[in-house]
Coordinates of all heavy atoms in Angstrom, one line a residue:
T1101 N 80.9 109.2 118.1 CA 80.0 108.7 119.1 C 80.3 107.3 119.5 O 80.9 106.5 118.7 CB 78.5 108.8 118.6 OG1 78.4 107.9 117.5 CG2 78.2 110.2 118.2
C1102 N 79.8 106.9 120.6 CA 80.1 105.5 121.1 C 79.4 104.5 120.2 O 80.1 103.5 119.8 CB 79.5 105.4 122.5 SG 80.0 103.8 123.3
I1103 N 78.2 104.7 119.7 CA 77.5 103.8 118.9 C 78.2 103.7 117.5 O 78.3 102.7 116.9 CB 76.0 104.0 118.7 CG1 75.4 102.8 118.0 CG2 75.7 105.2 118.0 CD1 74.0 102.5 118.4
G1104 N 78.7 104.9 117.0 CA 79.4 104.9 115.8 C 80.7 104.1 115.8 O 81.0 103.3 114.9
E1105 N 81.4 104.2 117.0 CA 82.6 103.4 117.2 C 82.2 101.9 117.2 O 82.9 101.0 116.7 CB 83.3 103.8 118.4 CG 84.0 105.1 118.4 CD 84.7 105.5 119.6 OE1 84.6 104.8 120.6 OE2 85.4 106.5 119.6
N1106 N 81.1 101.6 117.9 CA 80.6 100.2 117.9 C 80.3 99.6 116.5 O 80.6 98.5 116.3 CB 79.4 100.0 118.9 CG 79.8 100.2 120.3 OD1 81.0 100.1 120.7 ND2 78.8 100.5 121.1
V1107 N 79.7 100.4 115.7 CA 79.4 100.0 114.4 C 80.7 99.7 113.6 O 80.8 98.7 112.9 CB 78.5 101.0 113.6 CG1 78.4 100.7 112.2 CG2 77.1 101.1 114.3
L1108 N 81.6 100.7 113.7 CA 82.9 100.5 113.0 C 83.6 99.2 113.4 O 84.1 98.4 112.6 CB 83.8 101.6 113.2 CG 83.5 103.0 112.6 CD1 84.4 104.1 113.0 CD2 83.5 102.8 111.0
K1109 N 83.6 98.9 114.8 CA 84.2 97.7 115.3 C 83.4 96.5 114.8 O 84.0 95.5 114.5 CB 84.2 97.7 116.8 CG 85.1 98.7 117.4 CD 85.3 98.5 118.9 CE 84.0 98.7 119.7 NZ 84.1 98.6 121.1
A1110 N 82.1 96.5 114.7 CA 81.3 95.4 114.3 C 81.6 95.0 112.9 O 81.8 93.8 112.5 CB 79.8 95.6 114.5
I1111 N 81.7 96.0 112.0 CA 82.1 95.7 110.6 C 83.5 95.2 110.5 O 83.8 94.2 109.8 CB 81.9 97.0 109.7 CG1 80.5 97.5 109.7 CG2 82.4 96.7 108.3 CD1 80.3 98.8 109.1
W1112 N 84.4 95.8 111.3 CA 85.8 95.4 111.2 C 86.0 94.0 111.7 O 86.8 93.2 111.1 CB 86.7 96.4 112.1 CG 88.1 96.2 112.0 CD1 88.9 96.7 111.0 CD2 89.0 95.4 112.8 NE1 90.2 96.3 111.3 CE2 90.3 95.6 112.4 CE3 88.7 94.6 114.0 CZ2 91.4 94.9 113.0 CZ3 89.8 94.0 114.6 CH2 91.1 94.2 114.1
R1113 N 85.3 93.6 112.7 CA 85.4 92.2 113.3 C 84.9 91.2 112.3 O 85.3 90.0 112.3 CB 84.7 92.1 114.6 CG 85.5 92.8 115.7 CD 84.9 92.5 117.1 NE 85.9 93.0 118.1 CZ 85.5 93.8 119.1 NH1 84.3 94.1 119.2 NH2 86.4 94.2 119.9
K1114 N 84.0 91.5 111.4 CA 83.5 90.6 110.3 C 84.6 90.4 109.3 O 84.6 89.4 108.6 CB 82.3 91.2 109.6 CG 81.0 91.0 110.4 CD 80.5 89.6 110.3 CE 79.1 89.5 110.9 NZ 78.6 88.1 110.9
G1115 N 85.5 91.3 109.3 CA 86.6 91.3 108.3 C 86.7 92.7 107.7 O 85.7 93.2 107.3
P1116 N 87.9 93.2 107.7 CA 88.1 94.6 107.3 C 87.6 94.9 105.9 O 87.1 96.0 105.6 CB 89.6 94.8 107.3 CG 90.1 93.8 108.3 CD 89.2 92.6 108.2
N1117 N 87.5 93.9 105.0 CA 87.0 94.2 103.6 C 85.6 93.6 103.4 O 85.2 93.5 102.3 CB 88.0 93.6 102.6 CG 89.3 94.3 102.6 OD1 89.3 95.6 102.6 ND2 90.4 93.6 102.7
S1118 N 85.0 93.1 104.5 CA 83.7 92.4 104.3 C 82.6 93.4 104.2 O 82.7 94.6 104.5 CB 83.4 91.5 105.5 OG 83.3 92.3 106.7
I1119 N 81.5 93.0 103.6 CA 80.3 93.8 103.4 C 79.2 93.3 104.4 O 79.0 92.1 104.4 CB 79.8 93.7 101.9 CG1 80.8 94.3 101.0 CG2 78.5 94.4 101.8 CD1 80.5 94.1 99.5
V1120 N 78.7 94.2 105.1 CA 77.8 93.8 106.2 C 76.4 94.4 105.9 O 76.3 95.6 105.6 CB 78.3 94.2 107.6 CG1 77.4 93.8 108.7 CG2 79.7 93.7 107.8
S1121 N 75.3 93.7 106.1 CA 74.0 94.2 105.8 C 73.5 95.0 107.1 O 74.0 94.8 108.2 CB 73.0 93.1 105.6 OG 72.8 92.3 106.7
L1122 N 72.5 95.8 106.8 CA 71.9 96.6 107.9 C 71.4 95.6 109.0 O 71.6 95.8 110.2 CB 70.8 97.5 107.4 CG 70.1 98.3 108.4 CD1 71.0 99.3 109.0 CD2 68.9 99.0 107.8
Q1123 N 70.8 94.5 108.6 CA 70.2 93.6 109.5 C 71.3 92.9 110.4 O 71.1 92.7 111.6 CB 69.4 92.5 108.8 CG 68.6 91.6 109.7 CD 67.7 92.4 110.7 OE1 66.9 93.2 110.2 NE2 67.8 92.1 112.0
Q1124 N 72.4 92.6 109.8 CA 73.5 92.0 110.5 C 74.0 93.0 111.6 O 74.3 92.6 112.7 CB 74.7 91.6 109.6 CG 74.5 90.4 108.8 CD 75.6 90.2 107.8 OE1 75.9 91.1 107.0 NE2 76.2 89.0 107.8
L1125 N 74.1 94.3 111.2 CA 74.6 95.3 112.2 C 73.5 95.5 113.3 O 73.9 95.6 114.4 CB 74.8 96.6 111.5 CG 76.1 96.7 110.6 CD1 76.1 97.9 109.8 CD2 77.3 96.5 111.4
A1126 N 72.2 95.4 112.9 CA 71.2 95.6 113.9 C 71.2 94.5 114.9 O 70.8 94.7 116.1 CB 69.8 95.6 113.2
N1127 N 71.7 93.3 114.6 CA 71.8 92.2 115.5 C 72.8 92.5 116.6 O 72.7 91.9 117.7 CB 72.1 90.9 114.8 CG 71.0 90.4 113.9 OD1 69.9 90.7 114.1 ND2 71.4 89.6 112.9
Y1128 N 73.8 93.4 116.3 CA 74.8 93.7 117.3 C 74.6 94.9 118.1 O 75.3 95.2 119.0 CB 76.2 93.7 116.6 CG 76.7 92.4 116.1 CD1 76.5 92.1 114.7 CD2 77.3 91.5 116.9 CE1 77.0 90.9 114.2 CE2 77.8 90.3 116.4 CZ 77.6 90.0 115.1 OH 78.1 88.8 114.6
Q1129 N 73.6 95.8 117.6 CA 73.5 97.1 118.3 C 72.1 97.1 119.0 O 71.1 96.7 118.5 CB 73.5 98.2 117.2 CG 74.7 98.1 116.3 CD 76.0 98.3 117.1 OE1 76.1 99.1 118.0 NE2 77.0 97.5 116.7
A1130 N 72.2 97.8 120.2 CA 71.0 97.9 121.0 C 70.3 99.3 120.7 O 70.3 100.1 121.6 CB 71.4 97.8 122.5
C1131 N 69.9 99.4 119.5 CA 69.2 100.7 119.1 C 68.3 100.3 117.9 O 68.3 99.3 117.3 CB 70.2 101.7 118.6 SG 71.1 101.4 117.2
S1132 N 67.4 101.3 117.6 CA 66.4 101.0 116.5 C 67.1 101.0 115.2 O 68.2 101.6 115.0 CB 65.4 102.1 116.5 OG 65.9 103.3 116.1
T1133 N 66.5 100.4 114.2 CA 67.1 100.3 112.8 C 67.1 101.8 112.3 O 68.1 102.1 111.6 CB 66.2 99.4 112.0 OG1 66.2 98.1 112.5 CG2 66.8 99.3 110.6
Y1134 N 66.1 102.6 112.6 CA 66.1 104.0 112.1 C 67.3 104.7 112.6 O 68.0 105.4 111.9 CB 64.8 104.6 112.6 CG 64.7 106.1 112.2 CD1 64.4 106.4 110.9 CD2 65.0 107.1 113.1 CE1 64.3 107.8 110.5 CE2 65.0 108.4 112.7 CZ 64.6 108.8 111.4 OH 64.5 110.1 111.1
Y1135 N 67.7 104.6 113.9 CA 68.8 105.3 114.5 C 70.1 104.7 113.9 O 71.1 105.5 113.6 CB 68.8 105.2 116.0 CG 69.9 106.0 116.7 CD1 69.9 107.4 116.5 CD2 70.9 105.4 117.4 CE1 70.9 108.1 117.1 CE2 71.9 106.1 118.0 CZ 71.9 107.5 117.9 OH 72.9 108.2 118.5
L1136 N 70.2 103.4 113.7 CA 71.3 102.8 113.1 C 71.6 103.3 111.7 O 72.7 103.6 111.3 CB 71.1 101.3 113.1 CG 72.3 100.4 112.6 CD1 73.6 100.7 113.4 CD2 72.0 99.0 112.6
K1137 N 70.5 103.5 110.9 CA 70.6 104.1 109.6 C 71.2 105.5 109.7 O 72.0 105.9 108.8 CB 69.3 104.2 108.8 CG 68.8 102.8 108.3 CD 67.5 103.0 107.6 CE 67.0 101.7 107.1 NZ 65.7 101.8 106.4
F1138 N 70.7 106.3 110.7 CA 71.2 107.6 110.9 C 72.8 107.6 111.2 O 73.5 108.4 110.6 CB 70.5 108.3 112.0 CG 71.0 109.6 112.5 CD1 70.8 110.7 111.7 CD2 71.8 109.7 113.7 CE1 71.4 112.0 112.2 CE2 72.3 110.9 114.1 CZ 72.1 112.0 113.3
I1139 N 73.2 106.7 112.1 CA 74.6 106.6 112.4 C 75.4 106.2 111.2 O 76.5 106.7 111.0 CB 74.8 105.6 113.6 CG1 74.1 106.1 114.9 CG2 76.2 105.2 113.8 CD1 74.7 107.4 115.4
L1140 N 74.9 105.2 110.4 CA 75.6 104.8 109.2 C 75.7 106.0 108.2 O 76.8 106.1 107.6 CB 74.9 103.6 108.6 CG 75.1 102.3 109.3 CD1 74.1 101.3 108.9 CD2 76.6 101.8 109.1
G1141 N 74.7 106.8 108.2 CA 74.8 108.0 107.3 C 75.9 108.9 107.8 O 76.6 109.5 107.0
R1142 N 76.0 109.1 109.1 CA 77.0 110.0 109.6 C 78.4 109.4 109.3 O 79.4 110.1 109.0 CB 76.9 110.1 111.1 CG 75.6 110.8 111.6 CD 75.6 112.3 111.5 NE 76.7 113.0 112.2 CZ 76.6 113.4 113.5 NH1 75.5 113.3 114.2 NH2 77.7 114.0 114.0
L1143 N 78.5 108.1 109.5 CA 79.8 107.4 109.2 C 80.2 107.5 107.7 O 81.4 107.7 107.3 CB 79.8 105.9 109.6 CG 79.7 105.7 111.1 CD1 79.5 104.2 111.4 CD2 80.9 106.2 111.8
R1144 N 79.2 107.5 106.8 CA 79.4 107.7 105.4 C 79.9 109.1 105.1 O 80.8 109.3 104.3 CB 78.1 107.4 104.6 CG 77.8 105.9 104.5 CD 76.5 105.6 103.8 NE 76.5 106.0 102.5 CZ 75.4 106.2 101.7 NH1 74.2 106.0 102.3 NH2 75.5 106.7 100.5
Q1145 N 79.2 110.1 105.8 CA 79.6 111.5 105.6 C 81.1 111.7 106.0 O 81.8 112.5 105.5 CB 78.7 112.4 106.4 CG 77.3 112.6 105.7 CD 76.4 113.5 106.6 OE1 76.6 113.7 107.7 NE2 75.4 113.9 105.9
G1146 N 81.5 111.0 107.1 CA 82.8 111.1 107.6 C 83.8 110.4 106.7 O 85.0 110.5 107.0
G1147 N 83.4 109.6 105.8 CA 84.3 108.9 104.9 C 84.8 107.6 105.5 O 85.8 107.0 104.9
W1148 N 84.1 107.1 106.5 CA 84.6 105.8 107.1 C 83.9 104.6 106.6 O 84.4 103.5 106.8 CB 84.5 105.9 108.6 CG 85.3 107.0 109.2 CD1 86.7 107.2 108.9 CD2 85.0 108.0 110.1 NE1 87.1 108.3 109.6 CE2 86.1 108.8 110.4 CE3 83.8 108.3 110.7 CZ2 86.1 109.9 111.2 CZ3 83.8 109.4 111.6 CH2 84.9 110.2 111.8
V1149 N 82.7 104.8 106.1 CA 81.9 103.6 105.6 C 81.3 104.0 104.2 O 81.0 105.1 103.9 CB 80.7 103.4 106.6 CG1 79.7 102.4 106.0 CG2 81.2 102.9 107.9
S1150 N 81.3 103.0 103.3 CA 80.6 103.1 102.0 C 79.5 102.2 102.0 O 79.4 101.2 102.7 CB 81.6 102.9 100.9 OG 82.1 101.5 100.9
K1151 N 78.5 102.5 101.1 CA 77.3 101.7 101.0 C 77.2 101.2 99.6 O 77.4 101.9 98.6 CB 76.1 102.5 101.4 CG 74.8 101.7 101.3 CD 73.6 102.6 101.6 CE 72.3 101.8 101.5 NZ 71.1 102.6 101.6
S1152 N 76.8 99.9 99.4 CA 76.4 99.3 98.1 C 75.1 98.6 98.3 O 74.5 98.6 99.3 CB 77.5 98.4 97.7 OG 77.6 97.2 98.6
K1153 N 74.7 98.0 97.2 CA 73.4 97.2 97.2 C 73.5 96.1 98.2 O 72.5 95.7 98.8 CB 73.1 96.7 95.8 CG 72.6 97.8 94.9 CD 72.3 97.2 93.5 CE 71.9 98.3 92.6 NZ 71.5 97.7 91.2
Q1154 N 74.7 95.5 98.4 CA 74.9 94.4 99.3 C 74.9 94.8 100.8 O 74.7 94.0 101.6 CB 76.2 93.6 98.9 CG 76.2 92.9 97.6 CD 76.5 93.9 96.4 OE1 77.1 95.0 96.6 NE2 76.1 93.5 95.2
G1155 N 75.3 96.0 101.0 CA 75.4 96.5 102.4 C 76.5 97.5 102.6 O 76.8 98.3 101.7
Y1156 N 77.1 97.5 103.8 CA 78.0 98.5 104.2 C 79.4 97.9 104.3 O 79.6 96.8 104.7 CB 77.6 99.1 105.5 CG 76.3 99.8 105.5 CD1 75.1 99.2 105.7 CD2 76.2 101.2 105.1 CE1 73.9 99.8 105.6 CE2 75.0 101.9 105.0 CZ 73.8 101.2 105.3 OH 72.6 101.8 105.2
Q1157 N 80.4 98.7 104.0 CA 81.8 98.3 104.0 C 82.7 99.4 104.5 O 82.4 100.6 104.3 CB 82.2 97.9 102.6 CG 83.6 97.3 102.5 CD 83.9 96.8 101.1 OE1 83.3 97.3 100.1 NE2 84.8 95.9 101.0
L1158 N 83.7 99.1 105.2 CA 84.7 100.1 105.7 C 85.5 100.6 104.5 O 85.9 99.9 103.7 CB 85.6 99.5 106.7 CG 85.0 99.1 108.1 CD1 86.1 98.4 108.9 CD2 84.4 100.2 108.8
T1159 N 85.7 101.9 104.5 CA 86.6 102.5 103.6 C 88.0 102.3 104.2 O 88.2 101.8 105.3 CB 86.4 104.0 103.4 OG1 86.6 104.7 104.7 CG2 85.0 104.3 102.9
Q1160 N 89.0 102.7 103.4 CA 90.4 102.6 103.9 C 90.6 103.4 105.2 O 91.2 102.9 106.2 CB 91.4 103.0 102.9 CG 92.8 102.6 103.2 CD 93.7 102.8 102.0 OE1 93.4 103.4 101.0 NE2 94.9 102.2 102.1
D1161 N 90.0 104.6 105.3 CA 90.1 105.4 106.5 C 89.3 104.7 107.6 O 89.7 104.7 108.8 CB 89.5 106.8 106.3 CG 90.5 107.7 105.5 OD1 91.7 107.4 105.4 OD2 90.0 108.7 105.0
G1162 N 88.2 104.1 107.3 CA 87.3 103.4 108.3 C 88.1 102.2 108.8 O 88.0 101.9 110.0
Q1163 N 88.8 101.5 108.0 CA 89.6 100.3 108.5 C 90.6 100.8 109.5 O 90.8 100.2 110.5 CB 90.2 99.6 107.3 CG 89.3 98.9 106.4 CD 90.0 98.2 105.2 OE1 91.2 98.0 105.2 NE2 89.2 97.9 104.2
Y1164 N 91.3 101.9 109.1 CA 92.3 102.4 110.0 C 91.7 102.8 111.4 O 92.2 102.5 112.4 CB 93.0 103.6 109.4 CG 94.0 104.3 110.2 CD1 95.3 103.7 110.5 CD2 93.7 105.5 110.9 CE1 96.2 104.3 111.3 CE2 94.6 106.1 111.7 CZ 95.9 105.5 111.9 OH 96.8 106.1 112.7
R1165 N 90.6 103.5 111.3 CA 90.0 104.0 112.5 C 89.4 102.9 113.4 O 89.6 102.9 114.6 CB 88.8 105.0 112.2 CG 88.2 105.6 113.4 CD 87.1 106.6 113.1 NE 86.3 106.8 114.3 CZ 86.2 108.0 114.8 NH1 86.9 109.0 114.4 NH2 85.4 108.1 115.9
A1166 N 88.8 101.9 112.7 CA 88.3 100.8 113.5 C 89.4 100.0 114.1 O 89.2 99.6 115.3 CB 87.5 99.9 112.5
A1167 N 90.5 99.7 113.4 CA 91.6 99.0 114.0 C 92.1 99.7 115.2 O 92.5 99.1 116.2 CB 92.7 98.8 112.9
K1168 N 92.2 101.1 115.1 CA 92.7 101.9 116.2 C 91.8 101.8 117.4 O 92.2 101.7 118.6 CB 92.8 103.3 115.7 CG 93.5 104.2 116.7 CD 93.7 105.6 116.1 CE 94.3 106.6 117.1 NZ 94.4 107.9 116.5
I1169 N 90.5 101.8 117.2 CA 89.5 101.7 118.3 C 89.6 100.4 118.9 O 89.6 100.3 120.2 CB 88.1 101.9 117.7 CG1 87.9 103.4 117.3 CG2 87.0 101.6 118.8 CD1 86.6 103.6 116.4
V1170 N 89.7 99.3 118.1 CA 89.8 97.9 118.7 C 91.1 97.8 119.6 O 91.0 97.2 120.7 CB 89.8 96.9 117.6 CG1 90.2 95.5 118.1 CG2 88.4 96.8 116.9
R1171 N 92.2 98.4 119.1 CA 93.4 98.3 119.9 C 93.3 99.1 121.2 O 93.8 98.7 122.2 CB 94.6 98.9 119.1 CG 95.1 97.9 118.1 CD 96.5 98.4 117.5 NE 96.4 99.7 116.9 CZ 96.2 99.8 115.6 NH1 96.0 98.8 114.8 NH2 96.2 101.0 115.0
L1172 N 92.6 100.2 121.2 CA 92.4 101.0 122.4 C 91.5 100.4 123.4 O 91.6 100.7 124.6 CB 91.9 102.4 122.0 CG 92.9 103.3 121.3 CD1 92.3 104.6 120.8 CD2 94.2 103.6 122.1
H1173 N 90.5 99.6 123.0 CA 89.6 99.0 123.9 C 90.1 97.6 124.2 O 90.2 96.9 124.8 CB 88.2 98.9 123.3 CG 87.6 100.3 123.1 ND1 86.7 100.6 122.1 CD2 87.7 101.4 123.8 CE1 86.3 101.8 122.2 NE2 86.9 102.4 123.2

């Protein structure tokens, strides 16, 4: 989805190995926090994002996909 791609790009732009909080992502997305959590759940199911106590981070597959999206846009 478009918002899923935007979330991947937002994390990637912070740094491919960086950990980003839900609040940091919410600052970049024009959607509710509830919907953002849903999208992050879908990205986790797809294997592109992992979650820790500190926040969300791209997996290796997520880094590859995000870099590809950034290059295409």
